[in-house]
Amino acid sequence: MKNFNKRCWIPVLVFAISMVFGMYANAATSKTMENITVTINSCVIAGANINVTASGVVPTTTDGIYYLFELKPYETAVGARKDYCAAAPAAQTAVFTTPLDYNTTASKLYSRFVVTILQKGTYIPVSNAMYILNPEVVATKTTNYPMKSKKGLTADWRYSSELSRLGTGFASYELDVSRFFTGGGLNYTYNGKTYSFNIKVVQEYDGVCTRLASEGCNVIMIIKNAYNRAALDMIAPGGRSAGNNCYAFNVDEQVPTEKLEALLSFLANRYSGTMGTIHTWIIGNEVNTSKPWHYMGNVTAEMLAAHYAREFRVCYNAIKSQNAGARVFISIDQRWNYEDGTRGQFAAREFLDLFASYIQINGNIDWGLSFHPYPVPLYNCTFWKLPAEYERMNVIDHTDDSKFVSPLNTDVVTNHMMLPTMLAPNGSMRNIIISEMGFTSHNKSIATDELTQAAAIVYSYKLIANNPFIQGIVYHRQVDHASEIAGDGIAGGIRTETGTKYAYGVFANMDKGNSSEYTDFALPIIGAASWAELGLD
């Protein structure tokens, strides 16, 4: 078994994402790439203003002036517009200043900016487009990020009082944005407009967040978007057909985009203190799979990644502008380099690279990565032994070309995140968590039981906790879910509705100093004489 020694963290591949492609795709212009001669290097809030700095080759202009345009998330081009927001002399370095207009109808918090020149009465973009890089500077709250243990659970609020006794460091929960727009009762004024959110749904999450936070957990909230006829406008226009689990957010039209901005701002403000704190926000679920987890119609990987980057940016700016201490994550599945030909499903690595390139060219921000290294196949509780058909496919290894990522090779992901193109704005590793991973105690296809499930939890925890770049490991789930048992044959809870499983006590004690009495039972199940034999002292 792989010993996570120092050498295994050295990246095995070095690659460069095409900046030209990213620049062209995000320049908000239908003109040719020959026009792109200027680079916006910085776009930051400074007091009541936004300062934009650009540099590059000065193109031929009619008047020797650069004109800066603001583009809302839903705007695709400058087009025939003439309402530039700032101007500066055309030079190798140009600095623009424009009002932020924070929390007014003219707010530019979510906008991106592009440099243009005037030619024959038309403003022609000559730069990449860049969003604000530091929305957190306007936040009035900054919460801490508790890290009492790496282990976590997909939580059930009915059993929330068990979380502290289990030593749970992370508690994961889901939030469907569409539900907040299916009624009113709680008014919220944002950017000069008043919105009314469903007060019963708000009260529901007041209770959930308060309970989870009171247990000392780092609360993870997975932000999803369901098919809801009462809130169809919140779904991307190309994806408004029933039958998928979750849907892409609508950042293509003004009103739904502003509703999303308002809701995420409201939630981030409300759940940053007395109502409990959401420390970790995950935007969407396994978003590399448009069908069925982030549906937006018939799209390519490039289209999905570009659209999701805009969705992410809206949510990021809304959250960070309320709570500077919050962390915001992208979510991918375990199919690192594997595609089975299903339309709308893309390899996680390809999608991740595309997303990173779009974010980079439009202004690098501190996004984090969450991923789901389930067993292969999902119901294979004995993840250290692949079924013969998967063994022949060679689906798991420790290279960047591995088809899947499982508990055995999470170093594939963290090695990839060391690449220069993937680093945080300050040059460090990004925040990385496992937001979902689980093992079943029952399945018809591959034999398992409660003892095997518990062994899988112990072994996976020792493997992954040994990876210093993974900050949290969320086991799915606290309580068995009937739909998962019926659908995939997965009973992943450490308890049932009526009682606890063997894994319950194991989960509670596997990270303690005297853990051997709770973990050594797993060795004969795994087929090892000692943890040292596995490189897991």
Side-chain angles (χ1 to χ4, degrees):
M1 196 52 56
K2 182 85 168 181
N3 181 12
F4 289 102
N5 56 43
K6 199 168 183 180
R7 290 184 60 193
C8 86
W9 308 114
I10 300 172
V12 295
L13 292 176
V14 177
F15 75 105
I17 296 175
S18 172
M19 298 298 285
V20 173
F21 175 79
M23 184 180 295
Y24 181 50
N26 292 280
T29 175
S30 60
K31 301 296 180 180
T32 63
M33 285 188 290
E34 284 88 30
N35 291 315
I36 308 302
T37 63
V38 176
T39 299
I40 296 180
N41 303 302
S42 177
C43 180
V44 296
I45 298 171
N49 296 319
I50 301 169
N51 291 339
V52 178
T53 303
S55 62
V57 177
V58 179
T60 302
T61 67
T62 56
D63 58 3
I65 301 294
Y66 284 149
Y67 301 91
L68 188 72
F69 275 81
E70 170 203 9
L71 293 168
K72 300 294 188 184
Y74 47 83
E75 292 179 320
T76 60
V78 172
R81 287 173 50 189
K82 300 183 182 299
D83 57 336
Y84 58 88
C85 61
Q92 288 186 347
T93 299
V95 178
F96 306 85
T97 299
T98 185
L100 173 62
D101 294 318
Y102 182 61
N103 206 17
T104 72
T105 56
S107 174
K108 300 183 183 71
L109 180 64
Y110 300 92
S111 299
R112 63 195 190 280
F113 299 86
V114 61
V115 177
T116 71
I117 58 173
L118 183 61
Q119 288 185 341
K120 299 179 180 179
T122 300
Y123 292 92
I124 307 298
V126 294
S127 77
N128 59 311
M130 184 171 285
Y131 292 87
I132 289 167
L133 301 178
N134 61 338
E136 64 276 4
V137 300
V138 299
T140 57
K141 299 178 179 181
T142 303
T143 58
N144 295 324
Y145 199 80
M147 292 285 289
K148 72 178 184 182
S149 172
K150 278 192 174 186
K151 68 186 183 186
L153 288 169
T154 301
D156 188 314
W157 67 268
R158 298 170 300 168
Y159 301 91
S160 60
S161 62
E162 297 179 349
L163 294 172
S164 58
R165 294 201 304 270
L166 288 165
T168 311
F170 292 81
S172 175
Y173 211 80
E174 295 181 355
L175 183 149
D176 172 12
V177 300
S178 72
R179 297 182 63 210
F180 290 82
F181 297 105
T182 57
L186 196 155
N187 293 338
Y188 178 69
T189 299
Y190 186 68
N191 285 344
K193 299 179 182 180
T194 299
Y195 302 85
S196 189
F197 303 131
N198 188 314
I199 192 168
K200 291 183 179 179
V201 177
V202 173
Q203 290 171 344
E204 173 188 329
Y205 279 90
D206 287 351
V208 168
C209 292
T210 301
R211 289 187 184 194
L212 298 183
S214 68
E215 293 297 306
C217 295
N218 183 316
V219 179
I220 299 173
M221 196 62 70
I222 303 166
I223 310 302
K224 295 184 176 180
N225 192 22
Y227 185 87
N228 191 323
R229 290 189 178 277
L232 278 184
D233 66 323
M234 299 305 294
I235 296 174
R240 294 171 187 167
S241 58
N244 291 282
N245 295 337
C246 301
Y247 293 79
F249 302 106
N250 185 1
V251 291
D252 304 292
E253 299 171 324
Q254 180 177 353
V255 172
T257 301
E258 292 176 347
K259 287 166 64 175
L260 183 64
E261 294 167 356
L263 177 62
L264 268 294
S265 298
F266 166 79
L267 295 172
N269 182 283
R270 190 174 186 87
Y271 303 122
S272 294
T274 56
M275 291 289 186
T277 297
I278 300 174
H279 308 91
T280 303
W281 301 75
I282 299 178
I283 310 305
N285 177 66
E286 298 186 353
V287 294
N288 56 300
T289 56
S290 175
K291 186 174 180 64
W293 287 110
H294 203 72
Y295 189 66
M296 59 175 290
N298 185 15
V299 294
T300 64
E302 290 82 1
M303 293 165 62
L304 179 63
H307 193 276
Y308 176 74
R310 288 194 292 125
E311 299 172 49
F312 188 92
R313 188 80 67 161
V314 167
C315 296
Y316 182 94
N317 282 16
I319 294 164
K320 295 290 284 186
S321 63
Q322 297 295 329
N323 180 2
R327 297 180 184 179
V328 191
F329 292 74
I330 175 181
S331 168
I332 56 174
D333 68 14
Q334 78 275 33
R335 297 173 306 160
W336 187 243
N337 282 298
Y338 180 77
E339 294 181 2
D340 63 6
T342 302
R343 178 175 292 180
Q345 295 186 3
F346 308 104
R349 189 188 77 174
E350 176 190 17
F351 181 89
L352 178 63
D353 289 349
L354 287 167
F355 168 79
S357 70
Y358 288 126
I359 291 292
Q360 178 72 38
I361 195 62
N362 288 153
N364 197 11
I365 49 177
D366 194 21
W367 58 269
L369 174 65
S370 68
F371 68 107
H372 299 168
Y374 272 101
V376 180
L378 289 175
Y379 47 81
N380 179 24
C381 192
T382 54
F383 64 85
W384 52 93
K385 296 188 296 185
L386 288 175
E389 62 272 28
Y390 291 93
E391 189 71 46
R392 287 192 296 270
M393 291 170 60
N394 190 28
V395 296
I396 294 175
D397 60 39
H398 291 273
T399 75
D400 204 38
D401 293 322
S402 181
K403 292 182 176 66
F404 284 82
V405 173
S406 83
L408 296 170
N409 65 337
T410 59
D411 56 301
V412 166
V413 175
T414 52
N415 280 348
H416 191 82
M417 294 301 290
M418 283 185 172
L419 294 168
T421 50
M422 308 304 289
L423 297 177
N426 65 0
S428 67
M429 283 284 284
R430 293 187 182 275
N431 297 309
I432 304 173
I433 61 173
I434 290 171
S435 55
E436 190 179 314
M437 178 184 68
F439 309 97
T440 181
S441 60
H442 171 74
N443 188 262
K444 294 179 180 179
S445 300
I446 299 178
T448 185
D449 54 27
E450 288 190 15
L451 204 63
T452 306
Q453 178 198 33
I457 289 174
V458 167
Y459 189 19
S460 65
Y461 186 78
K462 284 181 173 291
L463 281 167
I464 300 169
N466 216 32
N467 183 329
F469 303 113
I470 295 177
Q471 299 162 341
I473 308 163
V474 175
Y475 287 89
H476 187 73
R477 55 179 60 239
Q478 185 179 4
V479 186
D480 283 347
H481 199 282
S483 66
E484 293 176 347
I485 295 173
D488 296 318
I490 295 176
I494 62 172
R495 65 156 20 254
T496 67
E497 297 280 0
T498 57
T500 62
K501 300 182 186 179
Y502 191 85
Y504 188 92
V506 168
F507 178 89
N509 294 286
M510 65 184 178
D511 60 340
K512 293 183 177 178
N514 61 342
S515 63
S516 60
E517 63 180 293
Y518 298 97
T519 61
D520 286 358
F521 80 94
L523 290 168
I525 298 173
I526 298 166
S530 68
W531 295 114
E533 176 185 328
L534 300 172
L536 298 169
D537 292 336

